[in-house]
Amino acid sequence: MAQKVRDVMTPEPAALPLDAPLTEAARLMRDQGVGGVLVTQAGRLCGLLTDRDIVVRAVAEGRDLYGTRLDQICSAGVVTIGPDDETEVAVRLMRERGVRRLPVVEEGRAVGIVSLRDVVTGDDPGARAAHGGEHRVG
């Protein structure tokens, strides 16, 4: 039987509103040990901010790190997947789009996030636990 995204995703992913400051996202990533934060407006997913986005779109461009809001640097038009989709679909989407994380969306709301690490170690709970969950940095 094929494995479902809901079986390997991290539920209740880190999320912040569009107008949150970049520094808040960086602190959240540090505190939760994650490499990505979902960006929302009124509870709806509108983007994804990764640690790489912070480096490439903020630090490297010399932006004011305290005055920059998430809507100014997050990736919009993010590819998503449903919790009942098979993990093979997630892998295919990640390859096609060149991404390592996919927000998991159900009825327009983000219910989780799945990473490449999740789908690779998803059938081995011991390996998943050793890595500290799906999208941990490090």
Side-chain angles (χ1 to χ4, degrees), residues 31-137:
D31 294 348
Q32 291 192 11
V34 297
V37 172
L38 300 182
V39 180
T40 61
Q41 183 174 31
R44 297 270 197 216
L45 179 69
C46 8
L48 175 66
L49 179 75
T50 66
D51 46 6
R52 185 174 191 282
D53 292 331
I54 293 172
V55 171
V56 173
R57 296 180 183 162
V59 176
E61 291 182 6
R63 288 184 180 258
D64 171 9
L65 301 181
Y66 294 93
T68 299
R69 294 182 324 267
L70 301 188
D71 64 337
Q72 297 173 301
I73 65 165
C74 75
S75 298
V78 178
V79 177
T80 63
I81 194 160
D84 292 320
D85 289 329
E86 295 181 1
T87 56
E88 291 81 16
V89 174
V91 171
R92 181 179 49 78
L93 283 172
M94 288 179 202
R95 280 190 189 136
E96 288 173 358
R97 302 297 177 113
V99 297
R100 297 183 312 180
R101 297 173 187 85
L102 294 173
V104 181
V105 175
E106 189 170 46
E107 297 179 16
R109 303 253 181 224
V111 296
I113 191 163
V114 64
S115 73
L116 188 55
R117 181 180 286 172
D118 289 335
V119 294
V120 170
T121 61
D123 58 348
D124 181 355
R128 199 160 177 248
H131 291 290
E134 68 72 39
H135 60 294
R136 295 266 179 209
V137 176

